[in-house]
Amino acid sequence: MRISIIIMLTIIFNIFLYSQSNENYTNSKISIDLEQALDLAVQNDKTLKQAEYDVRIAQTQKDASFSDLFLPSLTVSGGLNLSEPKEYQYNNFNTGVYSSADTWNAQATLSKTLFTGFRNWNTDKAREINLQMMKDTYFDERKNVAINTQLNFYNTFVAQENYKVYYQQQLNYSNRMRESYIKYRNGQVSEYEYLNAKVQYESTKPQLVTLSNNYESLKLTFIRQIGLTNVSDDVELIGNILDATKIALPDLDINVILDLIMANNIELNNMANNIEMLEYNRKVARSYLWPTFSANANVGVTTIDKLKLDNNKEFYKDRSGEFSWGVGFSLNYALDSLLPFSSTAKAAEEIKLSIEQMEIRYDQLRDNIEINSRNLISTAKSQELTLQSQAENAKTAAYALQMAQRQYRGGTISTLELNDAELTYLNAQLAYLQAIYEYFSSTLQVLKLLGA
């Protein structure tokens, strides 16, 4: 009997633990604020990882050109020959001594092209510019990841707040429908007023479902973008939508702002770097105008068998290694490259034309960026005014709704008037939320162009 009781208690205890663990698992959520989202986005963004590899590849190319510029080439070789031994002859007499069946040799050669018309030097400088360009692109991509993460974070928050506003509106309609029904049953209002309140309540249901689905979709898209694989319900975004209003444009003259934008624009900087790289490539192509000067040094050792006489006037074979060395210089000049119609001359001319074409594209791009920047700055400033106006409208609409609710409870205004106040409040709140996001979006993009 005692054993049965112990077994039953053990089973009940295990069931209790299992239910508690399930409850903890199902109720566990990941809470993410904006800073955590930014960290996750930087860690998991695939485009940023590719840009990081571009930097590493450019660094490897730069290291290779540096090696070509300063490091000599060292070559070692060796050989072993096997052949049939032959008897040495001395004054046409057989000596009875045979050569070795094997001979071997080893050699080391150190060579370096000392001058190539600055080809290696210009190649190294071009790759140095390319490396810096890849680094600038990487840091610009980090800014893009940060901006997109912030925009998507607050866009999801706007959808959440829109849902809350509509949900509160539905609660108001639900309460009014119940009040109207009670008053209708008591003969205080007509059936029409009750039915009208019921229609208002029912009409909010589809829209609320649509907003809920839109919010869940945006949240799921956002958590995938920052690298999380959880479902939408497992993640909770925490923060305050009003934090998006804390950024502002610097209080500077627009021409000063434009100068800063031009100095920090990644497209302009990359194109300027490309023009400079092409100039170095043109110098590489024109290196045919200079001679090529090279030097080499080699050392070697080879086994040699020699016939010798000992003190007894008998022949014997003496095997030893023979050391050798040498130093050489060479000067080369490709005369055919001096012809204006040669392929090397045409290659340099092609690069020159490409430089001139890119300079025109640079001026065109600069003009387009100036126009777009002016429009973006104007938009950000107008959005700031719109935000202030919508904030005041939302505040006024909230106050008006409170007055209407008090008057409705006091019986001094009708349901229709209260409905108008609620609709005005709803539209004001939605317009205010949208103004917050549009102000944040336009201002953030200008700050990114400024290098902030």
Side-chain angles (χ1 to χ4, degrees):
M1 182 65 180
R2 183 178 299 175
I3 296 175
S4 299
I5 294 175
I6 294 174
I7 293 174
M8 289 297 295
L9 290 175
T10 304
I11 293 174
I12 293 173
F13 181 73
N14 289 334
I15 293 174
F16 175 78
L17 288 180
Y18 178 77
S19 63
Q20 288 295 317
S21 63
N22 269 353
E23 183 180 356
N24 292 335
Y25 176 79
T26 55
N27 291 335
S28 61
K29 276 193 174 184
I30 301 175
S31 297
I32 297 178
D33 58 16
L34 180 57
E35 293 299 324
Q36 293 171 326
L38 289 172
D39 292 338
L40 288 171
V42 170
Q43 293 173 15
N44 299 312
D45 188 80
K46 292 181 174 57
T47 303
L48 186 60
K49 289 182 179 179
Q50 294 178 49
E52 183 179 354
Y53 274 101
D54 288 337
V55 173
R56 295 169 63 180
I57 291 171
Q59 182 66 64
T60 303
Q61 294 172 341
K62 172 66 175 64
D63 294 341
S65 63
F66 184 82
S67 298
D68 291 338
L69 186 61
F70 293 104
L71 292 182
S73 175
L74 177 62
T75 304
V76 294
S77 60
L80 174 65
N81 296 320
L82 299 176
S83 61
E84 182 181 1
K86 295 183 179 180
E87 186 177 6
Y88 287 108
Q89 300 289 320
Y90 183 77
N91 293 334
N92 296 325
F93 290 102
N94 294 328
T95 63
V97 179
Y98 289 83
S99 63
S100 299
D102 63 306
T103 58
W104 58 269
N105 64 82
Q107 185 174 4
T109 303
L110 187 67
S111 62
K112 176 62 181 173
T113 303
L114 300 176
F115 184 74
T116 59
F118 304 103
R119 176 177 301 177
N120 291 340
W121 173 267
N122 290 321
T123 299
D124 183 68
K125 297 299 291 184
R127 291 183 176 179
E128 182 180 357
I129 295 172
N130 180 65
L131 174 60
Q132 185 60 48
M133 187 166 60
M134 292 299 103
K135 289 181 179 179
D136 293 341
T137 302
Y138 170 77
F139 287 114
D140 186 74
E141 189 58 40
R142 282 183 67 104
K143 293 179 183 178
N144 288 333
V145 170
I147 285 178
N148 292 333
T149 302
Q150 293 178 75
L151 290 177
N152 293 332
F153 182 85
Y154 283 114
N155 188 33
T156 306
F157 251 92
V158 168
Q160 182 186 48
E161 295 301 317
N162 285 341
Y163 174 79
K164 290 180 179 178
V165 170
Y166 272 98
Y167 181 72
Q168 183 61 47
Q169 187 74 356
Q170 187 190 52
L171 289 179
N172 294 337
Y173 285 148
S174 176
N175 294 333
R176 183 150 334 107
M177 181 186 67
R178 287 194 296 269
E179 291 175 2
S180 299
Y181 179 72
I182 295 173
K183 290 181 179 180
Y184 165 66
R185 292 293 299 270
N186 294 333
Q188 296 176 321
V189 298
S190 64
E191 184 179 8
Y192 169 77
E193 186 168 341
Y194 161 66
L195 293 177
N196 185 51
K198 184 177 181 180
V199 169
Q200 286 181 330
Y201 169 71
E202 294 295 336
S203 64
T204 60
K205 289 183 177 179
Q207 195 167 18
L208 197 64
V209 172
T210 300
L211 289 172
S212 177
N213 293 337
N214 181 43
Y215 166 66
E216 294 299 328
S217 176
L218 286 174
K219 186 167 75 167
L220 182 61
T221 301
F222 174 71
I223 63 180
R224 288 292 182 272
Q225 288 175 343
I226 62 177
L228 295 180
T229 59
N230 305 72
V231 297
S232 178
D233 292 338
D234 290 344
V235 179
E236 180 183 9
L237 302 182
I238 57 177
N240 191 338
I241 187 64
L242 294 180
D243 291 340
T245 63
K246 295 180 180 180
I247 63 173
L249 294 179
D251 188 17
L252 299 173
D253 183 75
I254 187 171
N255 292 323
V256 176
I257 295 178
L258 286 174
D259 290 339
L260 291 173
I261 289 176
M262 295 299 176
N264 290 284
N265 188 271
I266 187 64
E267 293 182 81
L268 282 176
N269 290 338
N270 282 349
M271 189 169 289
N273 287 331
N274 278 321
I275 292 175
E276 190 174 0
M277 270 202 310
L278 282 175
E279 185 61 41
Y280 278 112
N281 290 336
R282 188 175 76 90
K283 292 179 180 179
V284 171
R286 287 175 57 85
S287 61
Y288 65 85
L289 297 173
W290 299 85
T292 301
F293 181 64
S294 303
N296 65 83
N298 63 81
V299 293
V301 59
T302 304
T303 58
I304 295 179
D305 293 337
K306 295 182 179 180
L307 187 65
K308 292 187 177 181
L309 285 172
D310 59 14
N311 295 331
N312 298 324
K313 303 299 181 178
E314 293 181 354
F315 290 101
Y316 70 95
K317 178 180 64 176
D318 181 33
R319 168 168 259 198
S320 61
E322 184 174 274
F323 177 79
S324 63
W325 64 273
V327 177
F329 299 93
S330 64
L331 184 66
N332 301 311
Y333 199 97
L335 294 177
D336 60 309
S337 299
L338 297 177
L339 299 175
F341 49 81
S342 65
S343 60
T344 50
K346 290 299 181 182
E349 183 180 355
E350 179 185 357
I351 296 176
K352 180 182 178 182
L353 294 174
S354 298
I355 293 173
E356 294 174 355
Q357 181 189 42
M358 191 167 289
E359 287 174 345
I360 297 175
R361 290 172 54 192
Y362 178 86
D363 293 336
Q364 182 183 24
L365 178 62
R366 187 178 180 87
D367 293 339
N368 292 336
I369 290 175
E370 180 182 355
I371 294 172
N372 294 333
S373 299
R374 286 183 180 275
N375 292 335
L376 192 58
I377 293 170
S378 299
T379 300
K381 290 184 176 180
S382 64
Q383 290 297 339
E384 182 179 7
L385 298 176
T386 302
L387 176 62
Q388 295 173 359
S389 175
Q390 293 297 342
E392 187 64 29
N393 286 343
K395 182 179 179 181
T396 304
Y399 179 72
L401 177 60
Q402 292 176 357
M403 290 181 58
Q405 289 172 340
R406 289 196 300 267
Q407 292 175 0
Y408 175 76
R409 288 192 294 268
T412 58
I413 64 172
S414 64
T415 305
L416 294 177
E417 292 173 309
L418 178 61
N419 290 340
D420 290 340
E422 288 177 339
L423 183 60
T424 300
Y425 171 77
L426 175 66
N427 292 332
Q429 288 295 318
L430 297 178
Y432 178 47
L433 291 172
Q434 188 62 30
I436 290 176
Y437 178 76
E438 291 178 354
Y439 165 77
F440 179 75
S441 175
S442 58
T443 304
L444 190 65
Q445 293 180 58
V446 175
L447 292 177
K448 189 257 181 181
L449 293 178
L450 289 171

